[in-house]
Amino acid sequence: GKPVTPRPPGRATQPYGRGAALPIDHRPRLPQIGSVIDKYHIDELLGTGGFAAVYRATHLLLRIPVAIKLLKPEVMAKHPGQAERLCEEARFAAQINHPNVARVYDVTHSERITYIVMEYIDGVPLHEAFSAAQPLPPREVLRIGIDVAEGLSAAFVQGMIHRDIKPANILLTRKGLAKIVDLGLAQSSSADARRISASPAEVVGTPSYMAPEQALNPERVDFRSDIYSLGVTLYHAATGHLPFRGDDSIQTISMHLNQPVPSPRLHVKGFPAELERMLMCMLAKDISVRPASYAQLLEALRETDQVLALESGDGSRPTRGGLMERIRGLFSTLPRDQRPSPTSADLPPKERP
């Protein structure tokens, strides 16, 4: 590869973390493209958020691409606790070795710099893969749902729930794999970890994708809250629309708490009934109505995909398992205020406008 120049010659520097450098006449700041932090050459800024910036970098010894999530210096100065949270995110993710979860390779923490070194994923965020005018095909949505559920299941085996599943936190690789990223709001069942992380009673997450209990009673949050958020994500991808969009966060949360989920058929003509039933089960306001385990969720997603394959003439006849019948039963027995809003296509002929 091309030779790498760690820093411009002739400028006095002082250490920046482990082996990096900054001009001595500057306070800590985000690294420049082309600079070196420890053994990582900074190649490209991928994005910035309120607390951190993410870069594509090259490991100078292994010559492989990596992603670096670096806490902003001003955040470290004003909110020193965020450094420990970033390290905690790394510890959470490092326990998971699964193809549907982005791998964490390393973490560095000092008074001047804190960052995570992660797997670099050559792909796009899920939210860039669809639009209101062009939602994803139903079977593609199910494939993504299966991938994400597999990753969430692997995390749950380690005692973790994500608490912020949404399209921006799911990356689609060029090979068609969906990967979960950003465990910054993950919660562990470990008592020690709970003392460090955001309090279980603290409302965290993204309102548009947040389960009702996550906003109303955060202490009740468990893996089924992630199932709800995944349901919102799949609904969004399959229709191009969020089920609830208020004028502000408070109104959006109120809609999740109180309003029935609009039928996907309001947005997509001929939306598959089996997929609608699947989504409505995941989006049940009563946490006990949602799939009772990731094994059940995955079974239902796969059986739904088999049904759609059969209906499209693109698969063999599926073996209908008991869970699909359970979902149909739950769907029909949901309280009326929790059922999807009907469209004219759902009504008997004599009741249609």
Side-chain angles (χ1 to χ4, degrees):
K2 296 181 179 179
V4 174
T5 302
R7 55 186 178 268
R11 297 185 67 185
T13 59
Q14 62 185 14
Y16 182 25
R18 294 172 53 201
L22 277 182
I24 59 174
D25 55 345
H26 282 71
R27 291 174 298 176
R29 55 184 172 83
L30 289 174
Q32 299 295 309
I33 305 304
S35 63
V36 172
I37 296 179
D38 192 13
K39 51 186 171 289
Y40 303 102
H41 180 265
I42 303 299
D43 300 322
E44 177 188 0
L45 177 64
L46 298 176
T48 59
F51 293 99
V54 181
Y55 297 88
R56 179 175 59 82
T58 300
H59 191 297
L60 293 175
L61 300 178
L62 299 178
R63 296 189 178 181
I64 60 170
V66 296
I68 291 181
K69 182 176 182 179
L70 188 146
L71 198 64
K72 293 180 176 180
E74 63 269 26
V75 173
M76 289 187 64
K78 296 179 181 178
H79 308 283
Q82 287 298 329
E84 181 54 40
R85 286 195 181 183
L86 194 69
C87 292
E88 182 187 25
E89 176 185 345
R91 286 191 289 269
F92 280 172
Q95 296 177 49
I96 307 167
N97 184 8
H98 193 275
N100 297 117
V101 180
R103 291 285 289 147
V104 163
Y105 301 137
D106 196 9
V107 62
T108 289
H109 174 46
S110 72
E111 292 182 358
R112 294 178 61 81
I113 188 169
T114 300
Y115 61 89
I116 300 174
V117 182
M118 304 175 290
E119 169 188 9
Y120 172 69
I121 300 169
D122 186 14
V124 297
L126 175 56
H127 67 83
E128 294 182 8
F130 66 88
S131 65
Q134 197 169 21
L136 293 179
R139 295 196 66 197
E140 179 72 7
V141 170
L142 284 164
R143 183 191 63 75
I144 292 169
I146 290 168
D147 280 357
V148 176
E150 291 273 18
L152 288 172
S153 178
F156 187 63
V157 167
Q158 300 298 329
M160 300 173 208
I161 53 177
H162 192 284
R163 298 200 296 179
D164 198 26
I165 289 295
K166 58 184 177 182
N169 285 340
I170 299 169
L171 293 183
L172 305 178
T173 72
R174 293 186 182 275
K175 294 182 179 180
L177 199 65
K179 285 181 174 274
I180 301 169
V181 298
D182 198 343
L183 293 174
L185 295 182
Q187 177 178 299
S188 172
S189 58
S190 161
D192 289 339
R194 282 175 182 266
R195 283 195 289 270
I196 297 170
S197 63
S199 166
E202 180 182 344
V203 177
V204 296
T206 303
S208 293
Y209 300 91
M210 192 183 294
E213 69 278 0
Q214 195 166 342
L216 190 64
N217 188 4
E219 292 182 344
R220 289 191 60 209
V221 168
D222 65 18
F223 72 94
R224 292 169 294 181
S225 304
D226 281 348
I227 288 178
Y228 183 97
S229 297
L230 178 56
V232 178
T233 296
L234 299 183
Y235 183 108
H236 195 182
T239 67
H241 297 268
L242 286 163
F244 305 114
R245 185 189 290 275
D247 294 333
D248 53 35
S249 296
I250 300 296
Q251 186 178 37
T252 298
I253 290 172
S254 176
M255 295 169 78
H256 277 283
L257 287 167
N258 302 306
Q259 293 191 11
V261 178
S263 170
R265 300 183 193 188
L266 292 171
H267 307 295
V268 178
K269 184 178 180 181
F271 193 87
E274 293 287 347
L275 180 53
E276 179 171 359
R277 292 189 185 100
M278 181 74 251
L279 293 176
M280 294 305 162
C281 184
M282 296 173 72
L283 291 171
K285 298 190 188 304
D286 182 349
I287 196 170
S288 67
V289 175
R290 299 172 208 155
S293 68
Y294 280 116
Q296 285 194 352
L297 174 62
L298 285 162
E299 179 188 358
L301 289 168
R302 291 184 177 117
E303 289 183 2
T304 302
D305 182 58
Q306 288 180 325
V307 171
L308 298 192
L310 177 65
E311 291 176 350
S312 66
D314 187 29
S316 58
R317 181 172 296 276
T319 301
R320 302 237 176 180
L323 183 58
M324 287 302 294
E325 297 302 326
R326 175 176 173 269
I327 287 177
R328 292 189 186 91
L330 289 171
F331 182 80
S332 63
T333 58
L334 282 175
R336 288 193 175 275
D337 63 351
Q338 294 185 22
R339 296 183 189 178
S341 304
T343 65
S344 61
D346 298 313
L347 300 174
K350 64 180 182 180
E351 296 182 28
R352 294 178 187 171

